[in-house]
Amino acid sequence: MREGPDIARIASLIGDPARANMLTALLVGKALTASELAQEAGVTLQTASSHLGKLEQGGLLRQRKQGRHKYFSLASDEVAHALEALMGLAANAGHLRTRPGPADVALREARVCYNHLAGDMGTRLFDSMVARGFLRLRGEDVSLTPAGAHFVRCYGIDLARLEAKRAPLCRQCLDWSERRSHLAGGLGRALLERFEELGWAKRKPDTRIVEFSRRGRAGFDELIARG
Amino acid sequence: MREGPDIARIASLIGDPARANMLTALLVGKALTASELAQEAGVTLQTASSHLGKLEQGGLLRQRKQGRHKYFSLASDEVAHALEALMGLAANAGHLRTRPGPADVALREARVCYNHLAGDMGTRLFDSMVARGFLRLRGEDVSLTPAGAHFVRCYGIDLARLEAKRAPLCRQCLDWSERRSHLAGGLGRALLERFEELGWAKRKPDTRIVEFSRRGRAGFDELIARG
DNA sequence: TGAATGCTTCGATTAACATCGAACTATGAG
DNA sequence: CTCATAGTTCGATGTTAATCGAAGCATTCA
């Protein structure tokens, strides 16, 4: 055989616990410095540096220097997607790191996945937008319809600015907790930002949990009910 | 942090070259014996036995004994999905195992992915069925519409038998070469079988390549053009 | 200029694990 | 029953790579 891409190389990169911790930490979407990632992974700065070099070499991370800091983030949405796929397998095999507790419940309801909203609320938003014809699915591609563009503009999102960027506007991302898709890409990011701007939601510091206020939850429910 | 499923465990399972070879070999969908997998991975039977035990323990493989043989296959479509996601990353990072050659071209055009058709022809089939209203997408779920049921029955597929099985009928699977979806699940399997039955396509032995005859290619083109 | 901070490189240590030979169990064939 | 084949278990070996202390750059700040 020996055909197709070399999967073991990438998988073994993810397979080290320290590196896996770094990658999952970066799933929140924020860029983190080498020191922060070292702490996240529970290793010293030296070993973290070695790990980060390998992850970047392997194309999983993107890095940018800023002064004497070095910021790392995931290289692409695809990396996040692959990580979530692995999480699905892990959850399925019952290898949860912790027994399902209150944090886990919150995580399943609403969490951040590389800067966009995932979990139950994320998939509900996605399904609603598809059902109302705001998003059109074609195979794996997702595109915003004219009606959808109107909808998000009314919600206060600067669509023109998003479209000017090079990153894809819409993309779907499979959810490990829900086994369904949620909206990724620039628009997904913008929507979560807007939720935070309006005070509907707030990220719980140092976790992937997104906490909705009572008012925010009501607003969200109405938003996906009829726009 | 330390939240969410334990991803490193699964990834390190896939991260060993011998195990990765076994898993990719099983992507063709056929169940293989321990000896066959040992040869596929290029290791002796003893080490293969150890690897297979770990893979099964980790929930990636399913095994059934038959006489003095032990047959292994992937545990689920989800495993195949995760593997293809990793292939996407690997291909993206330029870590192709071999430089793109003739085999690679054939692989991108039509290959088998856990017993269903993938590659360019796989995604074209999927897109066509969505466009004609034979498949309906709802988030990550795919379902067969009444019109679609009529279509596949006319094509000679015993739908009742498929529906009787426990495995899901339709499922979408992301394609590493095309970055779009193709049809997985029982129906995807049945369609590929039917292509072979009609002499349209033939699997190239010991590879994932699917070769279409000239007649088969014509029939396929007509099938996805108007049914 | 000197001190402090953030990160990298080097070297040595250690732990994990893939590998295989050899011995063992189980199933099937003659 | 005897032999061959398929697979497992055990133990020894060798390699890989994760880890961290210490020293070395680079950047910023005073």
Side-chain angles (χ1 to χ4, degrees):
Chain A
M1 296 277 288
R2 228 155 277 260
E3 49 181 29
D6 186 1
I7 199 181
R9 205 156 174 167
I10 298 289
S12 73
L13 277 178
I14 308 175
D16 177 81
R19 286 193 292 260
N21 281 337
M22 293 175 171
L23 290 169
T24 50
L26 288 171
L27 268 180
V28 303
K30 217 172 42 169
L32 297 174
T33 67
S35 316
E36 289 168 323
L37 287 167
Q39 181 165 13
E40 206 67 57
V43 295
T44 63
L45 188 53
Q46 302 96 292
T47 69
S49 176
S50 155
H51 285 312
L52 290 168
K54 288 172 190 174
L55 287 173
E56 199 210 338
Q57 180 85 6
L60 297 180
L61 293 188
R62 183 189 299 287
Q63 131 252 21
R64 70 169 196 280
K65 258 180 286 188
Q66 202 167 99
R68 56 183 164 179
H69 293 270
K70 204 165 176 180
Y71 284 92
F72 291 89
S73 52
L74 297 187
S76 67
D77 275 16
E78 280 181 81
V79 176
H81 181 259
L83 291 176
E84 291 255 338
L86 288 173
M87 286 191 181
L89 288 187
N92 222 15
H95 290 316
L96 284 174
R97 198 188 296 260
T98 58
R99 267 160 264 298
D104 194 72
V105 171
L107 217 54
R108 279 169 194 273
E109 186 185 24
R111 68 173 181 280
V112 90
C113 165
Y114 199 46
N115 270 336
H116 50 260
L117 185 66
D120 176 55
M121 296 182 77
T123 56
R124 273 166 56 208
L125 174 62
F126 184 80
D127 290 349
S128 149
M129 290 185 70
V130 171
R132 284 185 288 165
F134 294 164
L135 294 176
R136 187 175 40 220
L137 301 178
R138 281 232 326 217
E140 187 68 15
D141 290 335
V142 192
S143 54
L144 193 65
T145 63
H150 177 71
F151 169 71
V152 299
R153 261 195 297 260
C154 286
Y155 189 56
I157 284 174
D158 184 354
L159 202 53
R161 192 175 56 84
L162 288 179
E163 280 168 336
K165 295 196 176 178
R166 236 205 281 145
L169 186 65
C170 298
R171 188 186 270 273
Q172 58 179 310
C173 182
L174 186 61
D175 211 295
W176 63 261
S177 57
E178 296 297 314
R179 310 268 185 98
R180 278 150 63 203
S181 286
H182 55 250
L183 184 63
L187 182 58
R189 242 161 289 198
L191 280 168
L192 178 57
E193 268 175 35
R194 188 76 179 130
F195 292 153
E196 296 182 273
E197 234 174 65
L198 292 174
W200 285 14
K202 207 169 54 178
R203 304 196 191 182
K204 193 167 175 181
D206 297 326
T207 72
R208 297 175 63 192
I209 297 173
V210 176
E211 284 175 325
F212 274 75
S213 66
R214 190 164 332 171
R215 195 171 55 79
R217 204 175 293 269
F220 181 87
D221 284 338
E222 197 202 357
L223 183 72
I224 68 172
R226 2 169 275 98
Chain B
M1 295 277 288
R2 227 154 277 260
E3 51 182 28
D6 186 1
I7 198 179
R9 205 158 176 165
I10 298 289
S12 71
L13 276 178
I14 309 175
D16 177 81
R19 287 194 291 260
N21 281 336
M22 293 175 171
L23 290 169
T24 50
L26 287 171
L27 268 181
V28 303
K30 217 172 46 169
L32 296 175
T33 66
S35 314
E36 289 169 323
L37 287 167
Q39 181 165 12
E40 205 66 58
V43 295
T44 63
L45 187 54
Q46 302 95 294
T47 68
S49 176
S50 156
H51 285 312
L52 290 168
K54 288 173 189 173
L55 287 172
E56 199 210 339
Q57 182 84 6
L60 296 181
L61 294 188
R62 183 188 298 286
Q63 131 252 21
R64 71 169 195 279
K65 258 181 285 189
Q66 203 167 96
R68 56 179 164 182
H69 292 272
K70 205 164 175 182
Y71 283 92
F72 290 90
S73 52
L74 296 187
S76 67
D77 275 16
E78 279 181 83
V79 176
H81 182 259
L83 292 176
E84 291 255 337
L86 287 172
M87 285 191 181
L89 289 187
N92 222 14
H95 290 316
L96 285 174
R97 196 188 297 261
T98 58
R99 266 160 263 298
D104 195 72
V105 171
L107 217 55
R108 280 169 193 274
E109 186 184 23
R111 69 173 180 280
V112 89
C113 165
Y114 200 47
N115 269 337
H116 50 260
L117 185 65
D120 176 56
M121 296 182 76
T123 55
R124 272 165 57 208
L125 174 62
F126 184 79
D127 289 349
S128 149
M129 290 185 69
V130 171
R132 285 186 287 165
F134 294 163
L135 294 176
R136 187 173 42 220
L137 300 178
R138 282 231 328 216
E140 186 69 13
D141 290 335
V142 193
S143 54
L144 193 64
T145 64
H150 179 69
F151 169 71
V152 299
R153 262 195 297 259
C154 286
Y155 189 57
I157 284 174
D158 184 353
L159 201 54
R161 193 175 55 85
L162 288 178
E163 281 169 336
K165 294 195 176 178
R166 236 206 280 144
L169 186 65
C170 297
R171 189 185 270 274
Q172 60 179 309
C173 181
L174 186 61
D175 211 294
W176 63 262
S177 58
E178 296 296 315
R179 310 269 184 98
R180 277 149 66 204
S181 286
H182 55 250
L183 184 64
L187 182 58
R189 243 161 290 200
L191 280 167
L192 179 56
E193 269 175 34
R194 188 75 178 129
F195 292 153
E196 297 182 272
E197 235 173 64
L198 293 174
W200 285 13
K202 207 168 58 179
R203 303 197 191 180
K204 193 167 175 181
D206 297 325
T207 72
R208 296 175 64 192
I209 297 174
V210 176
E211 285 175 326
F212 273 76
S213 66
R214 190 164 331 170
R215 195 169 55 79
R217 204 175 293 270
F220 182 86
D221 284 339
E222 197 202 357
L223 183 72
I224 68 171
R226 0 169 276 97

